[in-house]
Amino acid sequence: DLREANEGTLVPTINRMIKSSTIHVSRCETCRAKGFICDICESPEMLFPFIYEGTARCGGCRHIFHDRCWRANMKAGKLCP
């Protein structure tokens, strides 16, 4: 909303929505089924396309990886697993 943007309340509102949605996705079995597992380290931690911090996405296959794993993989000269 333009009024919220002007008043400076838009960012806090969006941050609350993101937090609430992230909590829902982490607990909802249907939503969790749409998550990704890092194919490089195979950690059971679920990764989601809307969480940008700490994740990287392959431009070819569109799979999601931990950013640290993706960077190490690329640094080693390896392609997408």
Side-chain angles (χ1 to χ4, degrees):
D1 181 57
L2 294 176
R3 189 181 78 228
E4 286 180 319
N6 190 43
E7 294 171 355
T9 59
L10 183 60
V11 171
T13 299
I14 292 172
N15 285 336
R16 280 193 304 277
M17 291 170 64
I18 290 170
K19 183 177 181 180
S20 173
S21 298
T22 301
I23 290 170
H24 166 81
V25 168
S26 70
R27 295 178 180 169
C28 173
E29 189 173 323
T30 302
C31 292
R32 286 184 54 80
K34 297 178 187 220
F36 291 85
I37 293 176
C38 178
D39 283 338
I40 298 170
C41 73
E42 298 181 349
S43 166
E45 174 190 13
M46 297 301 297
L47 304 173
F48 297 95
F50 61 86
I51 300 176
Y52 297 111
E53 189 174 323
T55 63
R57 180 168 228 164
C58 175
C61 73
R62 309 296 293 158
H63 198 87
I64 307 289
F65 303 93
H66 293 110
D67 186 55
R68 66 184 179 277
C69 296
W70 179 254
R71 289 179 186 271
N73 203 50
M74 294 296 110
K75 189 176 181 179
K78 298 178 183 176
L79 299 175
C80 179

